[in-house]
Amino acid sequence: MLSEILTIVLLIAGSFFGFTAALGLIRMPDIYTRMSTSGKAATLCCGLLLAAVAFLFEDIQITAKAVIAILFLLITVPVGAHVIGRAAYREQVKSWEGTKTDGEE
Amino acid sequence: MPEVNLAEQSLLLGYAIRAASWLMLAALVLCILRIARGPTLADRVVALDILNILAVAYCALLTVTSGRAVYLDAGIALALVAFLVTVAFAKFIERTGIDTRNRSAEEKRDAE
């Protein structure tokens, strides 16, 4: 019973954060803010759903696979977001007019 | 492969899975909207990256729903591909300067 409740909480929280990530993708004004919000929320979504899988199956192989997938995503998603953000910056994609810089631009 | 048939096991879990599926569907639709709309190529690539990550999350949800562990392997493979796609697109944007070219073309058109 307890494991069931925990699984339900993980599933709902994970998919909610996935929806939040997509909402940030639509609502944020420029590419840099979009990348920042959505990358984090999507990683959390994946992590929670994979944690539900790891928790639910009482098989060490599947749990190990899920944990490996979580670790892999934790490493690659920030790296991917950084690479695409750097490309956008070098291409001088315009940022939101409300952005404050320290003058080094 | 071990199989757990969960949706029939408990009513509450079935409802949770259904709600999670609807939320993920809404998220995927919003991602596709941004891919269609995004002004620059970089915007589209960010949206594609998020779409790929959400697809991995959906694979995890499918694993819970069906009770088959095969979908987890698919999710891991998809995560690998998602990273490679993002890095390759970033290199493409940097090397070709496609966004700069598009923008200067737009500015020229606006000036005329």
Side-chain angles (χ1 to χ4, degrees), chain A residues 7-97:
Chain A
T7 311
I8 288 172
V9 169
L10 284 175
L11 281 182
I12 295 293
S15 51
F16 173 73
F17 276 110
F19 180 70
T20 321
L23 203 62
L25 213 55
I26 287 288
R27 292 293 299 164
M28 285 291 159
D30 68 354
I31 179 171
Y32 307 105
T33 48
R34 261 177 232 149
M35 194 182 67
S36 165
T37 53
S38 305
K40 278 169 247 180
T43 314
L44 191 55
C45 161
C46 252
L48 289 177
L49 285 180
L50 285 168
V53 173
F55 193 76
L56 201 60
F57 285 82
E58 286 157 2
D59 184 357
I60 187 67
Q61 272 190 342
I62 293 169
T63 308
K65 264 184 202 166
V67 169
I68 285 171
I70 292 174
L71 290 179
F72 182 74
L73 279 167
L74 279 182
I75 294 171
T76 58
V77 174
V79 172
H82 165 251
V83 168
I84 187 70
R86 191 182 60 178
Y89 183 72
R90 287 196 179 154
E91 286 294 304
Q92 293 159 356
V93 173
K94 276 183 195 135
S95 56
W96 181 44
E97 63 262 24

Side-chain angles (χ1 to χ4, degrees), chain B residues 3 6 13 19 41 45-46 70-72 79-80 83 85-86 111:
Chain B
E3 293 197 9
L6 294 156
L13 195 60
L41 181 63
V45 176
V46 169
V70 204
Y71 294 111
L72 195 59
L80 282 164
F83 177 60
V85 163
T86 313

Side-chain angles (χ1 to χ4, degrees), chain A residues 11 45-46 49-50 53 57 69 73, chain B residues 24 28 51-79:
Chain A
L11 281 182
C45 161
C46 252
L49 285 180
L50 285 168
V53 173
F57 285 82
L73 279 167
Chain B
M24 292 304 291
L28 293 180
L51 186 72
N52 268 326
I53 300 168
L54 289 182
V56 176
Y58 198 80
C59 278
L61 187 61
L62 215 55
T63 314
V64 174
T65 311
S66 69
R68 292 185 183 175
V70 204
Y71 294 111
L72 195 59
D73 297 339
I76 292 174
L78 203 56

Side-chain angles (χ1 to χ4, degrees), chain B residues 2 32-33 38 53 63 70 82 93 106 108 111:
Chain B
I32 288 172
L33 273 181
I53 300 168
T63 314
V70 204
I93 290 172
E106 268 175 31
K108 202 182 284 177

